Amino acid sequence: MGIPRLKRILEPHAERTKIPASEIVIDGPSLAYHIYYFLKGNLNNSPFDQPSNELLGQTAIQWLDRIQSCGHTVSAIYFDGFLPQEKREERISRLLGLSSDLRIYFNQCPDGLPPKKTSTGQQQPWSSRTRNLPTKRPPYPPFLVPAVLEALRNSPKYGSLTKLKPGEADVFCAQHVSQQGGIILTSDSDLLVHDLGQDGSVIFYTDIEIDLDSKTLIALLYRPSSLCKSLMIDAVDGISRLAHALSLDYHTTLEQAVESTRAEPDESYPRFTDQYTAAEIITHPEIGDDILLDPRTSEITLQCLVACTAGAPQDYDLAMHLPFLTDSQSRTSAWEASRPIRELAYGILLFPKYEQKQDSLPSVHEFRRLQVASSGTPVKIPPTASELDQQATKLIDTLTRIRAVVGDTPIVWDILSIYEDIVSTLSQGKPRPLSLELLLQEAKGTLQQHSWDFVHFLAQVQATLYSARMVQQIIDFKRQQPDKGNLSPAILQLGVHLRGLPGLKDFPTLKDFLPVLRSVREGEGMSVFAKLCDDSEDIARQIAKIRNPQPEGRKRKGNSRGDRGTKRKSTTSHVGDDRAKAAVSRNPFSVLGDYD
C-alpha cells in the first residue's frame, strides 16, 4: 500500500550512509514481495517460471542471514493478522484489478500458458497459433506471504522472532522502534508517517546495497526527525501533514506540500491520521503474543471471535479474502469445489459460542475472483452443532476409507482433492469431472501441461489443501483455549486426521503436478475412487476407461482449446455427500540489489 510519491519526494533528503550495527525490525509482508520480485527477475511471463513456495521461504531466510552477517541483529519480524474494515473498499478494488489482469492474461493465451524459458534463455516451443507472448504478468504465487511466514516460523534462528499480530504489521513495527529504537526494513512508505520515536528510522528494501568484502550494509536512511529538520517542518507532525497533502493531490510538489504543513489542517486531516494513531487492533483474551495461523485464516478467526463476543452486533459482517489463484476464466472459481471444507472451518469458529449467544448465525462472504464489485460469495454454515459434527464425521470417514487403501501417505491428500472434484461435479448434475478427464488424458499420453484445464485443476487441488489447512489450524487454535475451545469429540478427532497435511512448501506446482496425477493413476487411486463412488455407474465407466485407455481415434472437428468446459453454476456440495454416490541455481544474496 503506502502513500504515492512520498518516498520519492523525500528521497533527496534521506541520507545514503554505511549503516552501523543496529537492531533491525522486519516488515514481513514487504519482505515476502521483495523476495518474490528478485526471484521472478526478468523471466518470461509464465506461471511455469514462478518461484516455488519452498524457494521463497529458503531465500527469505538466506536474505536475513546476509543482513545479520553485516553485524546487524534482527530483533522482530511482524506479519499482518488482521486488516481494518476501512480497507475493505481498497481490497475489493485491488481484487477487481487482479481479476481483470487474469482475464486479460487468459485472453492473451487462449490456447494455454506460455512455457518457461530454458536454461539458455531460449523460448520453448509454443502453440503456433499464439504469435506473441502475453504482456500481462501472471498473478503472484497465491501463498506467497504465508509460505515465507511458514518458513520463518520453522527456522531455528528466526522462529521465535516471527510474530503474526492482530492488526497491520506496520503498526507493530512502528510501536517496536518507537519504544526500543532501531531500523525498520520495509517497502511501505506509510511507515514514515507513524510515530517512530526520536531514534526510529526506515530503510526501503530497494535501497539496500551490500559490500561483500567488508560485510557492510549501505542504504538510504529515512529518519523522520532528520527529515523534518532538513525540510524545516514541525518535528511532531510535519511528515504526517506533508503526507496528507500528497494524499489529497497526486500532483502536489514538495514545496507546496511543505507550505501546507504551516497552514491550518482541513477537516480530512484527523481521519487521515486515525489510521496511524488509532489503528484497528483486535483485543481478545484468546489472542496470544503470536497467532499461529496463516494471515487470511487469522483474519476470519479474529472476526469470528469478535462476532461471538457478548454485545457484538447481530449483523456483524464476516469476510474471508481467499488467496488469489491462477485458474481458468471459462470455469467457475477453483475455490468452489472445496467450499464445503471451508464451511466446516467457519462452523468450528462459530460453535459453540454463537450457539450460547442464542443468536442466528452470521453469514460469511468469501472474496475470490470477481467480475464486478460485490459483497462476496455467501457461504452456508451448518446451522447446528450436530450438523457440524455430521460434516466432520463424513470427512473423517472419507479420509479413513482413503487411508485403508493407500496407507498414511502423502497421496491421501491428492486423492481427497480429486474426490472433492467428483463430488462437486456430480452435485451440479454434470457427468464428467475435470479430474477424471485429465487422468484419462494422462493415461493416453495426451495431457497438455500448458492447457488451462490442467492449470485450473491444479488450482482446485491447491484450494482443497489450503481449505483443509484452514480447518486444521482453526482446530489447533481452539484447542489451545480453555476447555479446548469446547470442541466436540468429532471435531477433535478430525484435527488428528488432518495432522498429515503437507506444508505450503510441499503444495503441488505446475512443475510437479503431472507426476502427481500419474502416481494417483498408477497407484491405488483408481481403486479408492471405485470404492468411494461405487453407486455411480457413470463414474465407474470413466474409471474403467482410465484403467484401460483406448488409443485415440480420429478427432472430430471442433474447439481444440485445452479448456472445453463451460462456466459452471456455483452450488454447494460437501465431502462424503451421498449425492456423489448417486449420480534453477540462484544467488540469494544478490537480492540486496534493486528490482523492477
Side-chain angles (χ1 to χ4, degrees):
M1 299 180 181
I3 299 170
R5 299 176 58 236
L6 179 61
K7 175 182 181 294
R8 189 194 323 162
I9 211 166
L10 291 176
E11 187 170 317
H13 298 270
E15 179 187 6
R16 178 165 293 279
T17 182
K18 172 184 173 182
I19 308 299
S22 305
E23 295 288 321
I24 300 293
V25 176
I26 300 293
D27 177 353
S30 290
L31 172 64
Y33 280 94
H34 177 66
I35 296 299
Y36 165 75
Y37 279 115
F38 162 71
L39 291 174
K40 180 65 177 173
N42 295 315
L43 293 175
N44 176 33
N45 284 350
S46 169
F48 280 94
D49 282 324
Q50 295 280 28
S52 67
N53 292 338
E54 183 174 23
L55 181 59
L56 288 164
Q58 288 175 345
T59 308
I61 290 171
Q62 292 168 332
W63 192 90
L64 293 175
D65 286 345
R66 178 55 64 182
I67 291 293
Q68 295 211 127
S69 74
C70 295
H72 304 284
T73 301
V74 174
S75 55
I77 307 167
Y78 293 113
F79 284 83
D80 306 320
F82 182 82
L83 295 180
Q85 294 277 354
E86 290 75 14
K87 296 203 171 179
R88 179 73 60 83
E89 184 176 338
E90 181 179 354
R91 296 178 78 178
I92 292 175
S93 175
R94 181 170 294 188
L95 177 57
L96 285 168
L98 289 171
S99 302
S100 175
D101 287 348
L102 181 57
R103 283 195 300 274
I104 295 171
Y105 189 85
F106 178 84
N107 291 330
Q108 289 178 341
C109 313
D111 301 307
L113 300 181
K116 67 175 292 184
K117 288 184 178 179
T118 65
S119 58
T120 61
Q122 298 297 313
Q123 193 69 42
Q124 293 179 343
W126 198 24
S127 169
S128 60
R129 288 167 293 177
T130 306
R131 299 183 179 182
N132 300 308
L133 290 174
T135 56
K136 285 287 183 184
R137 284 192 173 189
Y140 297 108
F143 311 109
L144 167 59
V145 173
V148 171
L149 172 60
E150 180 180 77
L152 293 173
R153 277 179 168 160
N154 292 333
S155 164
K157 186 180 297 184
Y158 302 109
S160 63
L161 305 175
T162 303
K163 308 291 184 184
L164 185 77
K165 307 300 281 186
E168 292 188 270
D170 57 356
V171 174
F172 292 90
C173 289
Q175 287 179 353
H176 187 113
V177 300
S178 68
Q179 296 168 4
Q180 302 180 39
I183 300 173
I184 300 171
L185 302 191
T186 184
S187 298
D188 188 353
S189 60
D190 276 338
L191 274 158
L192 294 172
V193 186
H194 282 277
D195 177 12
L196 304 183
Q198 180 62 32
D199 298 320
S201 54
V202 169
I203 291 176
F204 294 96
Y205 290 115
T206 51
D207 293 331
I208 295 174
E209 297 176 6
I210 283 279
D211 186 323
L212 295 176
D213 294 328
S214 61
K215 291 188 177 180
T216 57
L217 188 154
I218 302 169
L220 275 174
L221 185 68
Y222 292 76
R223 191 187 304 276
S225 57
S226 299
L227 292 171
C228 290
K229 184 176 181 180
S230 174
L231 294 168
M232 293 184 290
I233 58 179
D234 188 86
V236 176
D237 65 355
I239 297 295
S240 175
R241 296 278 303 277
L242 186 143
H244 175 244
L246 292 174
S247 72
L248 294 176
D249 185 354
Y250 181 82
H251 300 289
T252 297
T253 65
L254 175 60
E255 292 74 16
Q256 291 170 333
V258 168
E259 186 62 30
S260 73
T261 67
R262 302 185 177 106
E264 192 70 21
D266 65 23
E267 60 185 16
S268 66
Y269 181 65
R271 293 196 301 273
F272 174 79
T273 57
D274 278 350
Q275 60 188 309
Y276 306 106
T277 60
E280 186 176 359
I281 297 173
I282 301 298
T283 56
H284 193 280
E286 294 182 13
I287 302 173
D289 181 54
D290 180 23
I291 305 170
L292 298 177
L293 301 166
D294 289 334
R296 303 292 177 93
T297 305
S298 169
E299 192 168 9
I300 189 63
T301 298
L302 299 186
Q303 290 178 53
C304 288
L305 285 179
V306 172
C308 292
T309 302
Q314 190 168 342
D315 59 348
Y316 190 85
D317 188 18
L318 301 175
M320 177 63 187
H321 292 262
L322 293 165
F324 192 81
L325 296 170
T326 300
D327 56 5
S328 171
Q329 301 294 288
S330 67
R331 295 182 178 271
T332 195
S333 167
W335 286 105
E336 183 61 29
S338 55
R339 181 169 63 168
I341 299 180
R342 296 191 303 283
E343 291 173 357
L344 189 56
Y346 306 140
I348 294 169
L349 282 171
L350 292 170
F351 285 105
K353 287 195 173 181
Y354 220 90
E355 200 170 43
Q356 294 168 357
K357 287 183 66 179
Q358 297 183 339
D359 290 335
S360 59
L361 283 172
S363 59
V364 176
H365 288 77
E366 293 187 335
F367 288 86
R368 43 230 184 141
R369 178 171 23 110
L370 289 178
Q371 293 275 359
V372 295
S374 76
S375 58
T377 302
V379 177
K380 178 183 176 182
I381 301 172
T384 65
S386 62
E387 291 184 56
L388 184 70
D389 281 351
Q390 289 173 16
Q391 278 199 228
T393 301
K394 287 180 179 179
L395 181 50
I396 291 170
D397 179 66
T398 300
L399 290 169
T400 300
R401 295 175 70 184
I402 294 172
R403 288 190 173 107
V405 178
V406 302
D408 195 9
T409 58
I411 202 172
V412 166
W413 309 107
D414 306 312
I415 292 173
L416 174 65
S417 300
I418 293 172
Y419 180 59
E420 278 285 284
D421 178 58
I422 296 172
V423 170
S424 178
T425 303
L426 296 185
S427 71
Q428 298 172 58
K430 296 188 176 182
R432 298 185 63 82
L434 175 60
S435 54
L436 297 185
E437 289 186 25
L438 294 177
L439 285 169
L440 179 59
Q441 292 173 23
E442 192 282 321
K444 292 180 176 181
T446 61
L447 180 57
Q448 299 296 316
Q449 286 181 271
H450 296 90
S451 74
W452 279 104
D453 279 353
F454 184 84
V455 173
H456 187 88
F457 186 61
L458 168 63
Q460 277 191 215
V461 173
Q462 292 173 335
T464 299
L465 294 176
Y466 191 81
S467 299
R469 178 183 172 93
M470 285 175 58
V471 176
Q472 177 202 27
Q473 288 191 343
I474 288 167
I475 292 174
D476 287 345
F477 175 82
K478 298 204 68 158
R479 282 181 66 251
Q480 304 306 314
Q481 310 309 323
D483 299 323
K484 294 186 177 180
N486 293 313
L487 294 173
S488 69
I491 301 300
L492 289 170
Q493 185 182 7
L494 177 58
V496 174
H497 279 266
L498 292 175
R499 285 180 185 167
L501 273 166
L504 290 171
K505 71 181 183 63
D506 296 316
F507 273 28
T509 68
L510 282 171
K511 298 172 185 176
D512 59 25
F513 189 46
L514 180 57
V516 168
L517 292 179
R518 182 176 298 119
S519 66
V520 169
R521 180 184 63 81
E522 293 180 345
E524 297 295 330
M526 307 316 299
S527 298
V528 175
F529 302 135
K531 293 178 183 294
L532 292 174
C533 306
D534 57 0
D535 288 344
S536 173
E537 293 182 2
D538 192 28
I539 295 298
R541 284 193 294 268
Q542 294 180 56
I543 291 172
K545 289 182 179 180
I546 295 169
R547 284 172 157 170
N548 299 286
Q550 299 300 313
E552 286 287 306
R554 182 178 178 183
K555 292 184 179 179
R556 293 180 296 174
K557 292 183 179 179
N559 185 4
S560 60
R561 284 172 54 171
D563 210 355
R564 296 180 177 86
T566 56
K567 189 168 185 177
R568 307 175 193 170
K569 184 179 179 181
S570 174
T571 58
T572 303
S573 63
H574 57 77
V575 176
D577 196 317
D578 291 339
R579 290 173 297 179
K581 293 184 177 181
V584 181
S585 176
R586 302 179 186 276
N587 176 4
F589 307 131
S590 300
V591 299
L592 297 168
D594 291 350
Y595 52 71
D596 293 336

